[in-house]
Amino acid sequence: MYAQMIKSEATQDDPEKVAAFQARIDAGDKIEPKDWMPEGYRKTLIRQIGQHAHSEIVGQLPEGNWITRAPTLERKAILLAKVQDEAGHGLYLYCAAETLGVSRDELTEMLLDGRMKYSSIFAYPTLTWADMGAVGWLVDGAAIMNQVPLQRTSYGPYARAMVRICKEESFHQRQGFDVMMKMANGTAAQKRMAQDALNRLWYPSLMMFGPSDSDSVHSEQSMAWKIKMNGNDELRQKFVDQTVPQAEYLGLTIPDENLKWNDAKGGYDFSQPDWSEFFDVLKGNGPCSVERIEARQKAWDDGAWVREARMAHAAKKRAQKIAAE
Amino acid sequence: MSNEWPLWEVFIRGQHGLSHRHVGSLHASDAEHAIRNARDVYTRRKEGISIWVVPASSIAASSPDEKGALYDPADDKVYRHPTFFDIPDDVGAM
Amino acid sequence: MSVQGLIRLGDNTLILGQRLSEWCGHGPALEEDIALANTALDLIGQTQLWLGLAAERSGNGQTADTLAYHRDAWDFRNLLLVEQPNKDFAVTMMRQFLFDTWHYEMLNALTDHIDPEISAIAQKSVKEVTYHRERSTDTVIALGDGTDESHTRMQTALDRLWPYVGEMFSADEDDLMDMAALRPKFDVHLSETLQESTLTQPESDFFHQGGKTGARHSEHLGHMLATMQVLPRSYPDAKW
């Protein structure tokens, strides 16, 4: 997902307070910024919300790659609005993380120096216009699976950010599928692009949910804290079950020979992605990992004088106002 | 020295004459910049017609530990809530 | 009524919208990134209206999209100013400020145009452009006044773009209105803003020409169109 492999932090707080805290969560209370919370809860959330925010910001890049080449004025406007929404989502999430006592600048520095990650999916390239369809359809589709339940997460500012994001996200997946329909029903070249996009992005999309829960030691605590709402395998299954009929509708073939409906479990059997590739990507060896961080670093460095100048101007204005009084 | 723009809380009044509502936060160098940023960030879908911004550092908040003291006494004043009163149907809407 | 005049307006907003969209994901702060995209979106929307009307009036089966995607550089009628590359944020925002200041006055005048369709587009656009001008003016002031570095960058940007200001006020019979008449109001807003931003207005009144007539665009336009038009040109049978 947008937050993968989030390690829950061990907590060494007063057991009585911890028990009372857990009772609040179990009762469905929202935890708010000034409430007491275990140090581990705070740190885990910073990491999770921060990674989610970074994913939105880095996620602007693969789609941004096609804004200047969008094939109609309307498609250009839609794609630009969508990538802009992602900046907005990043902004809401950074603000939610900031209520936990970390600044946006600190989070940005941690992204740039590799201490924090972003979702593996955005380390993959977008190579044809069909990728704009596939990203919306598959990547946003996968993200929504995770984000809808997160609207009920225990941390108030995070839940509220997710409510806003989900409201805006609904158009993203639809526009992706709309592009995909045009491509899949288009000329031979367009169909080829559509199938190629699905071939390249299918397994990276499955990776978004993270490795199997049985391999994940961190899920349990996060689920008890209600900052992780569903298991990885459960969401991945749901995603496959939802997506296969859509691919059939498009007349595209999911690149998995083992894909088969399983009556007994009421879902599809499917092949796992290559998890060694996933771990390589997380280590910074994705096909576009270097370019993505390079682009964010450049924006950060090139923007420094602007951020500084605005502060200097504001300070001068304040001084003038005081002098005038 | 950090040049991070300060954090602002954004309140927006929508079309229907309701009170300004907290919608989120953003960073800006001063109040005017914050209002413009709020317009660009929080009214992209024509959500509002009036914007307030407040430096996050200027918000005074009740302490969560006092939550009981502040809010519990109202719990037994149910008459403050309109649904407390049964109004006969033939009186009409009220 | 001149179709060329409509194409000029649509090409300005198209080319500048395209330039601004290059920033998406690369802005100096998230808030600025989002704001630049809003301006670009407004400009692309205005393009659909102006080029849509131009296509309709030319009556030869064109659409806003065929005009945008199937003309070569010599048929574009945008000002040289808007095809100038983004360079840094200083050049981008100075270009925006100069264009917005002209655009605002131009659209305001067009709201009274005798042609109701032109007047309607101008009325819709001027609302958006009022905000564009407000935002770019504020940015020019803040960055001109801010630090030594930002001041130098903004002054350099102004000096670099100044030779493209005059073309906005060069007039011919293809224009929808008398562009020269806009200069006094432009100058007032310009000098007020530059004064507040501690920037110096260049003295030269030389200006480059050839954008709005199509006689001689800069080298930049061809590259931009090669990128922008690649899909419809490479796959002429495709529908997107």
PDB file of all heavy atoms in Angstrom, chain A residues 9-35:
ATOM      1  N   GLU A   9       6.509   0.385  16.582  1.00  0.00           N
ATOM      2  CA  GLU A   9       7.565   0.646  17.561  1.00  0.00           C
ATOM      3  C   GLU A   9       7.187   0.006  18.891  1.00  0.00           C
ATOM      4  O   GLU A   9       6.042   0.073  19.322  1.00  0.00           O
ATOM      5  CB  GLU A   9       7.709   2.155  17.760  1.00  0.00           C
ATOM      6  CG  GLU A   9       8.094   2.886  16.491  1.00  0.00           C
ATOM      7  CD  GLU A   9       9.606   2.963  16.327  1.00  0.00           C
ATOM      8  OE1 GLU A   9      10.307   2.660  17.306  1.00  0.00           O
ATOM      9  OE2 GLU A   9      10.054   3.325  15.230  1.00  0.00           O
ATOM     10  N   ALA A  10       8.174  -0.586  19.537  1.00  0.00           N
ATOM     11  CA  ALA A  10       7.956  -1.120  20.875  1.00  0.00           C
ATOM     12  C   ALA A  10       7.657   0.051  21.811  1.00  0.00           C
ATOM     13  O   ALA A  10       8.068   1.174  21.578  1.00  0.00           O
ATOM     14  CB  ALA A  10       9.198  -1.847  21.350  1.00  0.00           C
ATOM     15  N   THR A  11       6.945  -0.228  22.839  1.00  0.00           N
ATOM     16  CA  THR A  11       6.521   0.880  23.681  1.00  0.00           C
ATOM     17  C   THR A  11       6.874   0.579  25.135  1.00  0.00           C
ATOM     18  O   THR A  11       6.735  -0.555  25.593  1.00  0.00           O
ATOM     19  CB  THR A  11       5.016   1.108  23.419  1.00  0.00           C
ATOM     20  OG1 THR A  11       4.685   2.438  23.704  1.00  0.00           O
ATOM     21  CG2 THR A  11       4.120   0.145  24.122  1.00  0.00           C
ATOM     22  N   GLN A  12       7.402   1.572  25.822  1.00  0.00           N
ATOM     23  CA  GLN A  12       7.805   1.359  27.218  1.00  0.00           C
ATOM     24  C   GLN A  12       7.145   2.391  28.103  1.00  0.00           C
ATOM     25  O   GLN A  12       7.787   3.243  28.675  1.00  0.00           O
ATOM     26  CB  GLN A  12       9.327   1.480  27.343  1.00  0.00           C
ATOM     27  CG  GLN A  12      10.039   0.267  26.784  1.00  0.00           C
ATOM     28  CD  GLN A  12      11.496   0.527  26.513  1.00  0.00           C
ATOM     29  OE1 GLN A  12      11.983   1.647  26.584  1.00  0.00           O
ATOM     30  NE2 GLN A  12      12.224  -0.529  26.199  1.00  0.00           N
ATOM     31  N   ASP A  13       5.831   2.354  28.097  1.00  0.00           N
ATOM     32  CA  ASP A  13       5.112   3.342  28.867  1.00  0.00           C
ATOM     33  C   ASP A  13       4.472   2.673  30.078  1.00  0.00           C
ATOM     34  O   ASP A  13       4.445   1.449  30.174  1.00  0.00           O
ATOM     35  CB  ASP A  13       4.040   3.984  27.998  1.00  0.00           C
ATOM     36  CG  ASP A  13       4.637   4.715  26.807  1.00  0.00           C
ATOM     37  OD1 ASP A  13       5.211   5.796  27.016  1.00  0.00           O
ATOM     38  OD2 ASP A  13       4.547   4.189  25.678  1.00  0.00           O
ATOM     39  N   ASP A  14       3.940   3.518  30.944  1.00  0.00           N
ATOM     40  CA  ASP A  14       3.206   3.075  32.118  1.00  0.00           C
ATOM     41  C   ASP A  14       2.087   2.116  31.681  1.00  0.00           C
ATOM     42  O   ASP A  14       1.180   2.505  30.957  1.00  0.00           O
ATOM     43  CB  ASP A  14       2.634   4.343  32.794  1.00  0.00           C
ATOM     44  CG  ASP A  14       1.770   4.014  33.989  1.00  0.00           C
ATOM     45  OD1 ASP A  14       1.544   2.812  34.244  1.00  0.00           O
ATOM     46  OD2 ASP A  14       1.332   4.968  34.647  1.00  0.00           O
ATOM     47  N   PRO A  15       2.168   0.839  32.146  1.00  0.00           N
ATOM     48  CA  PRO A  15       1.199  -0.170  31.665  1.00  0.00           C
ATOM     49  C   PRO A  15      -0.250   0.219  31.946  1.00  0.00           C
ATOM     50  O   PRO A  15      -1.139  -0.100  31.158  1.00  0.00           O
ATOM     51  CB  PRO A  15       1.571  -1.431  32.447  1.00  0.00           C
ATOM     52  CG  PRO A  15       2.886  -1.169  33.094  1.00  0.00           C
ATOM     53  CD  PRO A  15       3.147   0.297  33.095  1.00  0.00           C
ATOM     54  N   GLU A  16      -0.465   0.932  33.023  1.00  0.00           N
ATOM     55  CA  GLU A  16      -1.830   1.322  33.362  1.00  0.00           C
ATOM     56  C   GLU A  16      -2.382   2.289  32.313  1.00  0.00           C
ATOM     57  O   GLU A  16      -3.510   2.164  31.837  1.00  0.00           O
ATOM     58  CB  GLU A  16      -1.821   2.013  34.728  1.00  0.00           C
ATOM     59  CG  GLU A  16      -2.996   1.634  35.603  1.00  0.00           C
ATOM     60  CD  GLU A  16      -2.778   2.151  37.013  1.00  0.00           C
ATOM     61  OE1 GLU A  16      -1.972   1.524  37.764  1.00  0.00           O
ATOM     62  OE2 GLU A  16      -3.372   3.193  37.335  1.00  0.00           O
ATOM     63  N   LYS A  17      -1.534   3.264  31.938  1.00  0.00           N
ATOM     64  CA  LYS A  17      -1.943   4.235  30.920  1.00  0.00           C
ATOM     65  C   LYS A  17      -2.144   3.544  29.577  1.00  0.00           C
ATOM     66  O   LYS A  17      -3.061   3.881  28.831  1.00  0.00           O
ATOM     67  CB  LYS A  17      -0.868   5.318  30.767  1.00  0.00           C
ATOM     68  CG  LYS A  17      -0.906   6.398  31.837  1.00  0.00           C
ATOM     69  CD  LYS A  17       0.140   7.473  31.527  1.00  0.00           C
ATOM     70  CE  LYS A  17      -0.150   8.757  32.284  1.00  0.00           C
ATOM     71  NZ  LYS A  17       0.894   9.759  32.072  1.00  0.00           N
ATOM     72  N   VAL A  18      -1.238   2.599  29.312  1.00  0.00           N
ATOM     73  CA  VAL A  18      -1.340   1.887  28.039  1.00  0.00           C
ATOM     74  C   VAL A  18      -2.665   1.124  27.978  1.00  0.00           C
ATOM     75  O   VAL A  18      -3.352   1.140  26.948  1.00  0.00           O
ATOM     76  CB  VAL A  18      -0.142   0.928  27.850  1.00  0.00           C
ATOM     77  CG1 VAL A  18      -0.373   0.022  26.650  1.00  0.00           C
ATOM     78  CG2 VAL A  18       1.147   1.717  27.677  1.00  0.00           C
ATOM     79  N   ALA A  19      -3.038   0.505  29.085  1.00  0.00           N
ATOM     80  CA  ALA A  19      -4.280  -0.264  29.122  1.00  0.00           C
ATOM     81  C   ALA A  19      -5.483   0.656  28.927  1.00  0.00           C
ATOM     82  O   ALA A  19      -6.422   0.341  28.176  1.00  0.00           O
ATOM     83  CB  ALA A  19      -4.390  -1.020  30.439  1.00  0.00           C
ATOM     84  N   ALA A  20      -5.443   1.822  29.585  1.00  0.00           N
ATOM     85  CA  ALA A  20      -6.551   2.777  29.453  1.00  0.00           C
ATOM     86  C   ALA A  20      -6.640   3.277  28.011  1.00  0.00           C
ATOM     87  O   ALA A  20      -7.728   3.449  27.447  1.00  0.00           O
ATOM     88  CB  ALA A  20      -6.342   3.949  30.406  1.00  0.00           C
ATOM     89  N   PHE A  21      -5.468   3.489  27.414  1.00  0.00           N
ATOM     90  CA  PHE A  21      -5.400   3.955  26.024  1.00  0.00           C
ATOM     91  C   PHE A  21      -6.029   2.913  25.099  1.00  0.00           C
ATOM     92  O   PHE A  21      -6.855   3.230  24.239  1.00  0.00           O
ATOM     93  CB  PHE A  21      -3.936   4.211  25.662  1.00  0.00           C
ATOM     94  CG  PHE A  21      -3.706   4.612  24.227  1.00  0.00           C
ATOM     95  CD1 PHE A  21      -3.888   5.932  23.825  1.00  0.00           C
ATOM     96  CD2 PHE A  21      -3.300   3.673  23.283  1.00  0.00           C
ATOM     97  CE1 PHE A  21      -3.678   6.304  22.509  1.00  0.00           C
ATOM     98  CE2 PHE A  21      -3.085   4.043  21.968  1.00  0.00           C
ATOM     99  CZ  PHE A  21      -3.276   5.364  21.576  1.00  0.00           C
ATOM    100  N   GLN A  22      -5.629   1.650  25.321  1.00  0.00           N
ATOM    101  CA  GLN A  22      -6.157   0.577  24.466  1.00  0.00           C
ATOM    102  C   GLN A  22      -7.667   0.458  24.644  1.00  0.00           C
ATOM    103  O   GLN A  22      -8.389   0.221  23.670  1.00  0.00           O
ATOM    104  CB  GLN A  22      -5.467  -0.755  24.801  1.00  0.00           C
ATOM    105  CG  GLN A  22      -5.789  -1.867  23.808  1.00  0.00           C
ATOM    106  CD  GLN A  22      -5.361  -1.542  22.369  1.00  0.00           C
ATOM    107  OE1 GLN A  22      -4.229  -1.139  22.130  1.00  0.00           O
ATOM    108  NE2 GLN A  22      -6.282  -1.664  21.417  1.00  0.00           N
ATOM    109  N   ALA A  23      -8.123   0.680  25.872  1.00  0.00           N
ATOM    110  CA  ALA A  23      -9.569   0.597  26.122  1.00  0.00           C
ATOM    111  C   ALA A  23     -10.305   1.669  25.325  1.00  0.00           C
ATOM    112  O   ALA A  23     -11.390   1.435  24.778  1.00  0.00           O
ATOM    113  CB  ALA A  23      -9.851   0.753  27.611  1.00  0.00           C
ATOM    114  N   ARG A  24      -9.721   2.857  25.260  1.00  0.00           N
ATOM    115  CA  ARG A  24     -10.344   3.940  24.480  1.00  0.00           C
ATOM    116  C   ARG A  24     -10.458   3.528  23.016  1.00  0.00           C
ATOM    117  O   ARG A  24     -11.470   3.752  22.365  1.00  0.00           O
ATOM    118  CB  ARG A  24      -9.501   5.216  24.560  1.00  0.00           C
ATOM    119  CG  ARG A  24      -9.605   5.957  25.867  1.00  0.00           C
ATOM    120  CD  ARG A  24      -8.930   7.328  25.756  1.00  0.00           C
ATOM    121  NE  ARG A  24      -9.592   8.148  24.748  1.00  0.00           N
ATOM    122  CZ  ARG A  24      -9.063   9.253  24.241  1.00  0.00           C
ATOM    123  NH1 ARG A  24      -7.859   9.660  24.622  1.00  0.00           N
ATOM    124  NH2 ARG A  24      -9.715   9.956  23.353  1.00  0.00           N
ATOM    125  N   ILE A  25      -9.360   2.970  22.495  1.00  0.00           N
ATOM    126  CA  ILE A  25      -9.372   2.567  21.078  1.00  0.00           C
ATOM    127  C   ILE A  25     -10.399   1.474  20.846  1.00  0.00           C
ATOM    128  O   ILE A  25     -11.183   1.531  19.897  1.00  0.00           O
ATOM    129  CB  ILE A  25      -7.957   2.119  20.648  1.00  0.00           C
ATOM    130  CG1 ILE A  25      -7.065   3.356  20.566  1.00  0.00           C
ATOM    131  CG2 ILE A  25      -8.005   1.382  19.311  1.00  0.00           C
ATOM    132  CD1 ILE A  25      -5.697   3.108  20.040  1.00  0.00           C
ATOM    133  N   ASP A  26     -10.432   0.503  21.762  1.00  0.00           N
ATOM    134  CA  ASP A  26     -11.386  -0.598  21.619  1.00  0.00           C
ATOM    135  C   ASP A  26     -12.819  -0.080  21.649  1.00  0.00           C
ATOM    136  O   ASP A  26     -13.708  -0.627  21.003  1.00  0.00           O
ATOM    137  CB  ASP A  26     -11.182  -1.637  22.729  1.00  0.00           C
ATOM    138  CG  ASP A  26      -9.818  -2.326  22.598  1.00  0.00           C
ATOM    139  OD1 ASP A  26      -9.224  -2.236  21.498  1.00  0.00           O
ATOM    140  OD2 ASP A  26      -9.353  -2.921  23.592  1.00  0.00           O
ATOM    141  N   ALA A  27     -13.033   1.005  22.415  1.00  0.00           N
ATOM    142  CA  ALA A  27     -14.381   1.568  22.511  1.00  0.00           C
ATOM    143  C   ALA A  27     -14.714   2.429  21.297  1.00  0.00           C
ATOM    144  O   ALA A  27     -15.804   2.995  21.207  1.00  0.00           O
ATOM    145  CB  ALA A  27     -14.497   2.400  23.791  1.00  0.00           C
ATOM    146  N   GLY A  28     -13.762   2.576  20.388  1.00  0.00           N
ATOM    147  CA  GLY A  28     -14.036   3.344  19.171  1.00  0.00           C
ATOM    148  C   GLY A  28     -13.772   4.834  19.315  1.00  0.00           C
ATOM    149  O   GLY A  28     -14.155   5.624  18.459  1.00  0.00           O
ATOM    150  N   ASP A  29     -13.131   5.233  20.413  1.00  0.00           N
ATOM    151  CA  ASP A  29     -12.757   6.639  20.600  1.00  0.00           C
ATOM    152  C   ASP A  29     -11.735   7.054  19.556  1.00  0.00           C
ATOM    153  O   ASP A  29     -10.916   6.253  19.122  1.00  0.00           O
ATOM    154  CB  ASP A  29     -12.069   6.794  21.970  1.00  0.00           C
ATOM    155  CG  ASP A  29     -12.991   7.399  22.999  1.00  0.00           C
ATOM    156  OD1 ASP A  29     -14.214   7.368  22.771  1.00  0.00           O
ATOM    157  OD2 ASP A  29     -12.475   7.893  24.031  1.00  0.00           O
ATOM    158  N   LYS A  30     -11.762   8.327  19.206  1.00  0.00           N
ATOM    159  CA  LYS A  30     -10.684   8.868  18.378  1.00  0.00           C
ATOM    160  C   LYS A  30      -9.606   9.455  19.299  1.00  0.00           C
ATOM    161  O   LYS A  30      -9.914  10.115  20.287  1.00  0.00           O
ATOM    162  CB  LYS A  30     -11.217   9.975  17.472  1.00  0.00           C
ATOM    163  CG  LYS A  30     -12.090   9.449  16.338  1.00  0.00           C
ATOM    164  CD  LYS A  30     -11.244   9.035  15.138  1.00  0.00           C
ATOM    165  CE  LYS A  30     -12.101   8.534  13.987  1.00  0.00           C
ATOM    166  NZ  LYS A  30     -12.352   7.081  14.041  1.00  0.00           N
ATOM    167  N   ILE A  31      -8.366   9.200  18.961  1.00  0.00           N
ATOM    168  CA  ILE A  31      -7.253   9.787  19.702  1.00  0.00           C
ATOM    169  C   ILE A  31      -6.928  11.129  19.051  1.00  0.00           C
ATOM    170  O   ILE A  31      -6.799  11.205  17.826  1.00  0.00           O
ATOM    171  CB  ILE A  31      -6.011   8.870  19.652  1.00  0.00           C
ATOM    172  CG1 ILE A  31      -6.386   7.443  20.074  1.00  0.00           C
ATOM    173  CG2 ILE A  31      -4.879   9.438  20.498  1.00  0.00           C
ATOM    174  CD1 ILE A  31      -6.987   7.310  21.457  1.00  0.00           C
ATOM    175  N   GLU A  32      -6.827  12.169  19.847  1.00  0.00           N
ATOM    176  CA  GLU A  32      -6.551  13.498  19.302  1.00  0.00           C
ATOM    177  C   GLU A  32      -5.154  13.964  19.721  1.00  0.00           C
ATOM    178  O   GLU A  32      -4.587  13.441  20.692  1.00  0.00           O
ATOM    179  CB  GLU A  32      -7.632  14.479  19.755  1.00  0.00           C
ATOM    180  CG  GLU A  32      -9.029  14.176  19.162  1.00  0.00           C
ATOM    181  CD  GLU A  32      -9.092  14.273  17.635  1.00  0.00           C
ATOM    182  OE1 GLU A  32      -8.252  14.975  17.022  1.00  0.00           O
ATOM    183  OE2 GLU A  32      -9.977  13.613  17.036  1.00  0.00           O
ATOM    184  N   PRO A  33      -4.599  14.964  19.003  1.00  0.00           N
ATOM    185  CA  PRO A  33      -3.185  15.309  19.170  1.00  0.00           C
ATOM    186  C   PRO A  33      -2.728  15.525  20.612  1.00  0.00           C
ATOM    187  O   PRO A  33      -1.650  15.100  20.987  1.00  0.00           O
ATOM    188  CB  PRO A  33      -3.050  16.602  18.366  1.00  0.00           C
ATOM    189  CG  PRO A  33      -4.081  16.502  17.310  1.00  0.00           C
ATOM    190  CD  PRO A  33      -5.215  15.735  17.912  1.00  0.00           C
ATOM    191  N   LYS A  34      -3.565  16.157  21.443  1.00  0.00           N
ATOM    192  CA  LYS A  34      -3.081  16.464  22.790  1.00  0.00           C
ATOM    193  C   LYS A  34      -3.340  15.335  23.794  1.00  0.00           C
ATOM    194  O   LYS A  34      -2.938  15.413  24.945  1.00  0.00           O
ATOM    195  CB  LYS A  34      -3.713  17.769  23.289  1.00  0.00           C
ATOM    196  CG  LYS A  34      -3.159  18.987  22.548  1.00  0.00           C
ATOM    197  CD  LYS A  34      -3.773  20.274  23.046  1.00  0.00           C
ATOM    198  CE  LYS A  34      -3.105  20.742  24.343  1.00  0.00           C
ATOM    199  NZ  LYS A  34      -3.790  21.962  24.857  1.00  0.00           N
ATOM    200  N   ASP A  35      -4.028  14.305  23.342  1.00  0.00           N
ATOM    201  CA  ASP A  35      -4.293  13.168  24.229  1.00  0.00           C
ATOM    202  C   ASP A  35      -2.993  12.431  24.551  1.00  0.00           C
ATOM    203  O   ASP A  35      -2.062  12.418  23.754  1.00  0.00           O
ATOM    204  CB  ASP A  35      -5.247  12.165  23.562  1.00  0.00           C
ATOM    205  CG  ASP A  35      -6.643  12.740  23.359  1.00  0.00           C
ATOM    206  OD1 ASP A  35      -6.907  13.834  23.889  1.00  0.00           O
ATOM    207  OD2 ASP A  35      -7.448  12.097  22.660  1.00  0.00           O
TER     208      ASP A  35
END
